[in-house]
Amino acid sequence: MRNNPELDLLVIDEDQLYAERLVGLLQAYYGKVNLGFLDDKEELLKALRHSWDVLVFGNAYDLSFTDVVGIIQEQGLDLPVVGLMSDEMAQTGRNSEGLPAVIDGTMVKALFADQESQVVMAICLQHANVTTRRQLKSIRNVLMEAEQRANILIKNSKSAVAYLDQGIHIFANDPYLALFGFDSVEDIIGVPVVDMIAGVDNVKGFKQFLRQFEKGSRDQVEFKFESRRSDGSTFAAKLQLAAATLDGEPVTQIIIQQNHNDSSELAKRLAAAERQDSLTGLYNRRGFEEQLDQLYHDVMAAKTHGALLYIHLDNIGKISSSLGLQGVDATIKHVGFTLEEMVADGFVSRFSDTAFAILVENLTTQALTELAASINERIKSMLIEVNDRTTSTTVSIGIVKIEPNSAEPAVLLERALDAINAVNIATKNHGDDYHLYDPSEHANSDDEALAEALIDAIRNNRFELLFQPIYDIETDRSDFFETYLRLPLSDSDNTILTPDKFMTVAKTHHLSDKIDRWVLINACKRLSEFRKSHPEARVLVQLTSASLVDKRLPNVASQLINAVGGAPNALTLQFNEQDISNHLTVAKTIFSSLKSNGCQVGINNFGTSTKSVEITSFVRPDMIRLARSYIEGINNNDNLETVKSLVTRANELGSNVLMPYIEDAATMAVSWSVGARYLQGYYLEEPSPTMSADKS
C-alpha cells in the first residue's frame, strides 16, 4: 500500500497473543497499526465509541458473530467484519467447496484462524474497501450540497424546468406545470415527455434527439417543435436538455421556452392556469395556499378568526381500479361541486388529486364540527353515475382552527394531515368521519416524554415484536412471518402502544430510522434462531420513509441476510405505497439495490392511489400487499372482479400478491379464487410473540 497508511484494528478474541501476531504481520503493509482487543459485550460497546477500520471476530466470552453484526448495525457504523471459524459458524460459515460463505466489501465469513496469510489479506482488502467508501461518502456529500443548491434555484426559477427518467417526467417546477396546464407535480409524474409534443414528425424527431443525448452525444442539445398542453392546445417551443441528478440519481433536465409574440397575454394566461384546477374549475393548491396566507395574516391582525378543513376521499384508489380514470374524474367533479354548494361562504379548492381544502371564517367550534358532520353525511349519500354504472364515496375530514396564537400556515397544513391520520386510526382506515385537531392533546411535554421512552426502548431493547404467519399457497407452508412492533409502557395499567400511537412523535424527533433499524436487526435475530429448526423460514418487515431514502439500507440488509445464513429471499422489506410515490426515483434505485443483494421488496397498502399500477411498473416489487378496502366487501361481484383484475396486473408485472385482513370463513373462501399467492389474517392465525410454523 502507498504512503504508509495507518490501520485501526479491533480484535474480539480470547487469545491476545494471536491478535499481537496479526499486528506484526500487518506492519509490513502499514506505517502504524493501532490494536484494540476485547472479549465481551460491555467492552465492545465502549470500544465502538472510537472509530475503527476493521473488526476481526474469533471467540468471545459472551458474544456471538450474529450479536456483533447486530450491535454494529444498531450503532449505524460502517465497520467491515472478518469472521474466524467458531462453533457458531461451523455449519454456515463455509460452502460445499470449503471456501468462505460470504466474501464482499463489508464482511468475510469465515476464515480459519491458523491460515494467517488469508486473514491478513482479508483485513487489508476490507480496509481498502472502507477507505474507498469513506472517500466516496465525502464526495457524495459535496455533490449532494451542489444538487440541493441547484434544485432550490430550479424550484424558484421562472423558466419551465423538468426532470426526466428514461423519457418519463419525475419532477417539474411550477412554471413548467403552468405552461402545460397541470395542477400539481403529482399529476405530471409518470407522463411521457412525448405526450407534450404535437405532430408525428415532431415526435419521431424528438425520440431520435433524445436517444442521441442519452447515448452521450452533446453535439445538439436544443430541439424546436410544436408543443401540446394537457387541454389539447398547442404552441411553438424550444427545449434544451442537460445531464443532471435528482436525489443523487442521474436524470435528464429539460428546459422549455415558448415562442410567443404577446408576452402580456401569456403572463395573464399562466397566472390564471397556475391557480385553477382544470377538472373542477376550483382553485388549485397554489391558489389555496395564497388564500391561506391572506387569511392567516388577517387572523394575526385580529380582523377575523377562521378554520381549515382538509377533506380526503377515502376510496379513490378502489374507484380507479373498478371504473378507471372516468370514474375518478366523475367522483372528483361531483364532490367538488357539492362542497362548493355546501360552503358557499367559504373558499373551496382542490388541494391534490384525492383531497380538497376549505377555508371558512367566523365559525364556532360547534359550527365547524356540525359542518364537517353534514359534509360526511351528504357525500356518503351521493350516488355518482358513470355511464351505466353507479359508484359512491366517503370522506375523512381534518379540522384545524386558525386563531391569533396559531402556528404558521405550513404547520397548520401538517396538523390537518395529522387530523386525517387520527380519523384513519379511530376508524381503522374506514374513514367517513372527522377529527378536530386539539393542540392541547399534542403538548410538548407529552411529546418529549414519549420521545424519551422511544429512545430508552431503542437503547435498552424495550420494544416487543409480534409475528403473524403468512400462508404461501405455492409452497403450502406458513413459515413466512410479518413483523409487528409494540412499545410497552411502564405505567400501572400495562399500556402497550402500537406504531400509530408513537410514530408521529418518532418522526418529529428524527427517530424513525433508528426504530426501523432496531426492528430489522431484532427480527433477523429471531429469524436466525428459528431457521435452525425451520431452514426455509422467512420474515417480512415494514419500514418507514426514513429507511426508504437511506442509501445505506441495501448494505445493512445484505449484512443481516449473511448473518442469518446468507439464504436468498429470507428477508422481505415492505414500504407504504404513499411513501414510494413521494420518493419514486429513490425507491426505484433502493429496490434495485436490495433485490441485487438477495432481499425481496414489497409495497404495503397497495391500491390507495390512482397510479398504483404505474408505481408498481416503475419500481418492480417482488410482492404487493392489498389495502384493506379491497378485502372488505370482496363477496360483492364488482369488488371481486376488481381484486382479480388487480392481482392479474400485478402478476403480469412479476409481483406476487398478499391478501391480508382475512377475518372470517367467507372471506377466506373467496380469497382462494383471486390468484393471490399469499393469505394472511386473524382467521388463519393471530400475531404472536413467537414464531410458529404449525398449520392453522
Side-chain angles (χ1 to χ4, degrees):
M1 294 185 182
R2 299 187 298 271
N3 301 326
N4 293 321
E6 186 172 323
L7 173 67
D8 291 324
L9 179 67
L10 181 60
V11 178
I12 302 176
D13 197 62
E14 298 170 340
D15 186 359
Q16 187 169 356
L17 291 177
Y18 178 77
E20 297 290 348
R21 191 159 60 253
L22 287 180
V23 171
L25 295 172
L26 289 165
Q27 285 174 343
Y29 304 95
Y30 294 94
K32 184 178 181 181
V33 179
N34 302 313
L35 175 65
F37 180 83
L38 52 92
D39 70 344
D40 69 20
K41 181 176 182 178
E42 185 175 353
E43 291 179 0
L44 174 59
L45 294 173
K46 293 178 181 178
L48 289 179
R49 297 171 187 169
H50 175 73
S51 177
W52 299 98
D53 296 321
V54 182
L55 185 150
V56 177
F57 178 85
N59 291 297
Y61 175 71
D62 63 347
L63 283 169
S64 67
F65 182 77
T66 303
D67 290 334
V68 170
V69 172
I71 289 171
I72 291 172
Q73 293 302 331
E74 286 174 345
Q75 301 290 331
L77 301 176
D78 183 9
L79 177 56
V81 179
V82 176
L84 306 182
M85 286 296 291
S86 64
D87 292 338
E88 180 194 17
M89 288 188 280
Q91 298 299 321
T92 63
R94 312 284 285 188
N95 63 23
S96 60
E97 301 299 327
L99 297 173
V102 180
I103 300 177
D104 60 31
T106 59
M107 183 185 298
V108 177
K109 170 191 174 185
L111 299 174
F112 292 104
D114 56 358
Q115 295 181 0
E116 294 170 348
S117 61
Q118 293 186 6
V119 177
V120 168
M121 283 191 290
I123 293 171
C124 291
L125 291 174
Q126 293 291 356
H127 178 242
N129 262 304
V130 76
T131 300
T132 301
R133 287 198 298 275
R134 290 169 181 171
Q135 293 171 343
L136 184 59
K137 181 179 180 181
S138 177
I139 294 171
R140 283 174 173 166
N141 287 337
V142 173
L143 291 175
M144 187 180 301
E145 291 173 359
E147 178 184 321
Q148 288 174 346
R149 291 193 296 271
N151 287 338
I152 290 172
L153 291 173
I154 288 169
K155 288 180 180 178
N156 292 281
S157 172
K158 294 182 179 180
S159 299
V161 184
Y163 287 145
L164 309 176
D165 184 1
Q166 299 178 14
I168 303 297
H169 286 90
I170 57 175
F171 171 81
N173 66 359
D174 289 341
Y176 192 99
L177 296 173
L179 185 61
F180 289 99
F182 288 91
D183 299 322
S184 68
V185 70
E186 288 80 10
D187 294 333
I188 203 170
I189 289 176
V191 175
V193 70
V194 293
D195 287 359
M196 312 298 198
I197 300 174
V200 175
D201 292 336
N202 278 331
V203 171
K204 289 181 179 178
F206 177 77
K207 287 182 177 179
Q208 179 64 24
F209 168 70
L210 184 60
R211 277 195 296 269
Q212 292 300 321
F213 183 87
E214 290 179 341
K215 289 179 180 178
S217 173
R218 297 298 183 266
D219 295 335
Q220 184 181 1
V221 295
E222 291 188 355
F223 182 80
K224 295 181 179 180
F225 64 108
E226 188 76 5
S227 189
R228 178 170 54 201
R229 300 185 182 92
S230 60
D231 63 3
S233 62
T234 63
F235 61 93
K238 178 179 69 176
L239 67 79
Q240 296 175 320
L241 296 182
T245 60
L246 181 64
D247 295 329
E249 300 300 324
V251 295
T252 301
Q253 182 188 88
I254 179 173
I255 303 175
I256 293 184
Q257 298 174 342
Q258 181 176 6
N259 299 331
H260 58 84
N261 297 321
D262 189 354
S263 58
S264 60
E265 181 63 28
L266 173 65
K268 292 179 182 178
R269 186 151 31 104
L270 286 177
E274 286 174 355
R275 292 162 178 80
Q276 188 176 42
D277 173 52
S278 59
L279 178 63
T280 62
L282 300 172
Y283 277 92
N284 60 16
R285 177 169 180 169
R286 181 166 182 170
F288 166 80
E289 289 177 343
E290 290 178 356
Q291 192 69 22
L292 174 60
D293 286 340
Q294 183 60 53
L295 176 58
Y296 178 78
H297 289 305
D298 289 346
V299 171
M300 294 305 105
K303 296 179 181 179
T304 184
H305 66 272
L308 159 65
L309 284 77
Y310 187 92
I311 302 172
H312 183 268
L313 277 67
D314 294 323
N315 64 336
I316 200 69
K318 190 173 181 180
I319 293 173
S320 175
S321 300
S322 177
L323 300 176
L325 184 60
Q326 188 177 14
V328 172
D329 288 350
T331 301
I332 290 171
K333 286 193 289 187
H334 207 110
V335 171
F337 174 80
T338 301
L339 292 176
E340 193 173 29
E341 180 186 13
M342 293 185 68
V343 196
D345 294 333
F347 180 87
V348 182
S349 67
R350 186 185 177 194
F351 189 82
S352 68
D353 61 340
T354 58
F356 294 85
I358 298 176
L359 295 174
V360 293
E361 297 182 49
N362 301 321
L363 292 185
T364 64
T365 300
Q366 181 178 351
L368 284 171
T369 56
E370 289 175 352
L371 173 60
S374 65
I375 291 173
N376 279 131
E377 287 301 317
R378 178 76 173 274
I379 299 298
K380 180 169 59 177
S381 65
M382 293 190 318
L383 295 178
I384 303 167
E385 300 295 331
V386 183
N387 293 331
D388 58 345
R389 300 181 64 182
T390 302
T391 190
S392 61
T393 189
T394 60
V395 294
S396 299
I397 305 175
I399 311 170
V400 178
K401 296 167 69 175
I402 308 174
E403 300 173 316
N405 60 343
S406 292
E408 60 187 18
V411 176
L412 295 177
L413 280 171
E414 288 289 335
R415 291 180 175 179
L417 295 175
D418 289 341
I420 293 292
N421 289 334
V423 172
N424 291 333
I425 292 168
T427 64
K428 296 182 179 179
N429 291 317
H430 288 285
D432 190 25
D433 205 349
Y434 65 87
H435 179 82
L436 174 65
Y437 185 95
D438 183 357
S440 66
E441 296 177 357
H442 303 267
N444 288 335
S445 58
D446 293 340
D447 282 358
E448 292 296 334
L450 180 53
E452 290 176 8
L454 291 171
I455 294 171
D456 179 63
I458 295 169
R459 290 177 177 173
N460 299 300
N461 293 318
R462 300 192 189 280
F463 285 116
E464 291 180 355
L465 294 179
L466 299 178
F467 301 90
Q468 185 176 34
I470 299 169
Y471 177 68
D472 187 342
I473 296 176
E474 188 172 300
T475 63
D476 191 28
R477 293 202 309 269
S478 296
D479 54 359
F480 186 20
F481 301 91
E482 181 162 10
T483 307
Y484 297 96
L485 179 65
R486 298 293 183 264
L487 175 64
L489 297 182
S490 58
D491 45 9
S492 57
D493 60 350
N494 296 318
T495 300
I496 297 179
L497 299 184
T498 51
D500 54 283
K501 299 296 193 303
F502 59 76
M503 285 308 291
T504 300
V505 172
K507 182 178 180 180
T508 301
H509 289 78
H510 307 291
L511 297 173
S512 300
D513 57 338
K514 296 179 177 61
I515 293 174
D516 280 354
R517 191 65 58 87
W518 188 95
V519 174
L520 192 53
I521 291 169
N522 285 275
C524 287
K525 284 183 179 180
R526 299 283 290 275
L527 178 64
S528 180
E529 288 297 316
F530 189 72
R531 283 171 65 88
K532 292 178 181 178
S533 57
H534 295 78
E536 301 297 322
R538 300 183 288 156
V539 70
L540 172 66
V541 179
Q542 169 78 17
L543 299 180
T544 68
S545 60
S547 292
L548 181 63
V549 299
D550 186 354
K551 296 180 180 179
R552 300 170 297 175
L553 180 62
N555 181 55
V556 171
S558 175
Q559 289 198 353
L560 290 173
I561 290 171
N562 289 335
V564 301
N569 304 328
L571 174 64
T572 301
L573 302 182
Q574 67 174 351
F575 301 88
N576 189 277
E577 184 180 80
Q578 187 59 53
D579 291 336
I580 294 171
S581 177
N582 292 341
H583 305 280
L584 201 56
T585 304
V586 174
K588 179 180 180 180
T589 302
I590 287 289
F591 274 32
S592 177
S593 298
L594 287 168
K595 292 169 76 171
S596 67
N597 287 335
C599 179
Q600 290 198 330
V601 287
I603 298 178
N604 186 28
N605 214 25
F606 174 85
T608 54
S609 76
T610 58
K611 297 183 179 179
S612 299
V613 174
E614 289 85 349
I615 291 171
T616 300
S617 178
F618 191 72
V619 301
R620 296 287 179 171
D622 299 289
M623 184 182 77
I624 62 168
R625 189 176 188 270
L626 293 181
R628 179 185 288 272
S629 60
Y630 290 95
I631 311 304
E632 295 170 347
I634 196 173
N635 292 307
N636 177 280
N637 286 334
D638 282 347
N639 291 342
L640 178 58
E641 291 305 314
T642 297
V643 172
K644 286 183 177 180
S645 176
L646 269 184
V647 173
T648 300
R649 292 295 304 278
N651 290 337
E652 290 172 351
L653 293 171
S655 300
N656 292 311
V657 177
L658 167 60
M659 294 278 291
Y661 309 113
I662 299 176
E663 313 297 352
D664 52 60
T667 304
M668 180 67 183
V670 175
S671 297
W672 281 95
S673 66
V674 300
R677 175 174 175 177
Y678 301 107
L679 305 179
Q680 177 194 28
Y682 276 55
Y683 181 78
L684 293 165
E685 191 167 343
E686 298 182 4
S688 166
T690 60
M691 293 183 182
S692 173
D694 295 335
K695 293 185 178 180
S696 301

